[in-house]
C-alpha cells in the first residue's frame, strides 16, 4: 500500500536500493571503476548501501536527523502507541548510526513479540522499511483500546512510506555533494594530480 503511494521517481529507484544496484563504492569496485569507490561525502569506502544513510559526514548526519524527525512526526500523526513509537525511534536511530539496538524493556506482550521478530530479521533491515507484521498487530491492539477502527496494516504502510523517504533523502544529499566542489573523491584526485605535477617539475 505504501509502495503505491510513492512518487514515480522514488517508485523506480526503490527496487534498485533494495537490490543494492545503486552506483556506490562496492559496486564501482565490482565494475572495476576504482576512482569512484569512495564516498563523495566522507571519503571512506562504501561497503554497503547502508553507508548512504550511516555516513559520518556532518551534512549527512544533519539530513538523517531531519528525516528521522519526519518519521516521528508521522507516528505522532497516526496516533502510534507511545511504547511502539519509542521502540521504533530508538531502532531507527541506532540503525542509522550503525549501532547495536538494545530496546528498552516493556510489559507490552505484543510489542515484545515485535521486538523479538525484528531482531530475528535483523535490526538494520529497518533501513529498508522492513517491519515485521507484529508491529502492526501491536499498533492495532492500541487502536482498539482507543476505540478506533484504523487497522495496524494501514498504520504500518504509512510508517514504512516515511522510512523509505530516509534512504531517498540521504541519496539525494549524497548526489548533491558528489556534484559539488566538496566531493571528497575529486578532491583526493586533484591532490594526487597536483603532487604528480610537482614531482615532475621539481
Amino acid at each position: 500500500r505504501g509502495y503505491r503511494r510513492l512518487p514515480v521517481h522514488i517508485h523506480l529507484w526503490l527496487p534498485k536500493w533494495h537490490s543494492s544496484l545503486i552506483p556506490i563504492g562496492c559496486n564501482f569496485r565490482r565494475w572495476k571503476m576504482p576512482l569512484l569507490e569512495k564516498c563523495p561525502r566522507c571519503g571512506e569506502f562504501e561497503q554497503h548501501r547502508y553507508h548512504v544513510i550511516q555516513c559520518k559526514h556532518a551534512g549527512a548526519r544533519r539530513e538523517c536527523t531531519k528525516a528521522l524527525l519526519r518519521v516521528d512526526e508521522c507516528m505522532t500523526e497516526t496516533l502510534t502507541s507511545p511504547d511502539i513509537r519509542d521502540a521504533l525511534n530508538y531502532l531507527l536511530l541506532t540503525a542509522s548510526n550503525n549501532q547495536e539496538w538494545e530496546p528498552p524493556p516493556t510489559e507490552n506482550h505484543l510489542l515484545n513479540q515485535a521486538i523479538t521478530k525484528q531482531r530475528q530479521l535483523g535490526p538494520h533491515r529497518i533501513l529498508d522499511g522492513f517491519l515485521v507484521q507484529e508491529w502492526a498487530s501491536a499498533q492495532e491492539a492500541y487502536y482498539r483500546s482507543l476505540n478506533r477502527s484504523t487497522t495496524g496494516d494501514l498504520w504500518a504502510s504509512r510508517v514504512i512510506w516515511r522510512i523509505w523517504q530516509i534512504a531517498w533523502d540521504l541519496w539525494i544529499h549524497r548526489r548533491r555533494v558528489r556534484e559539488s566542489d566538496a566531493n571528497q573523491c575529486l578532491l583526493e584526485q586533484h591532490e594526487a594530480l597536483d603532487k604528480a605535477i610537482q614531482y615532475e617539475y621539481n
Side-chain angles (χ1 to χ4, degrees), residues 111-126:
L111 178 54
N112 273 323
Q113 287 183 335
I115 290 171
T116 299
K117 290 287 187 179
Q118 193 72 40
R119 279 186 179 279
Q120 293 171 355
L121 175 66
H124 282 78
R125 299 308 303 276
I126 190 69

Side-chain angles (χ1 to χ4, degrees), residues 11 46 58 64 68 70 102 109:
H11 199 282
E46 296 174 306
C64 188
L68 293 176
R70 286 191 285 269
E102 293 296 338
H109 174 65

Side-chain angles (χ1 to χ4, degrees), residues 76-110:
T76 300
E77 291 168 1
T78 54
L79 298 179
T80 303
S81 160
D83 286 349
I84 295 174
R85 179 183 165 199
D86 288 345
L88 279 178
N89 275 333
Y90 188 53
L91 171 57
L92 284 164
L93 179 64
T94 53
S96 64
N97 284 284
N98 198 22
Q99 298 171 344
E100 285 293 320
W101 180 43
E102 293 296 338
T106 176
E107 297 180 359
N108 185 327
H109 174 65
L110 291 174

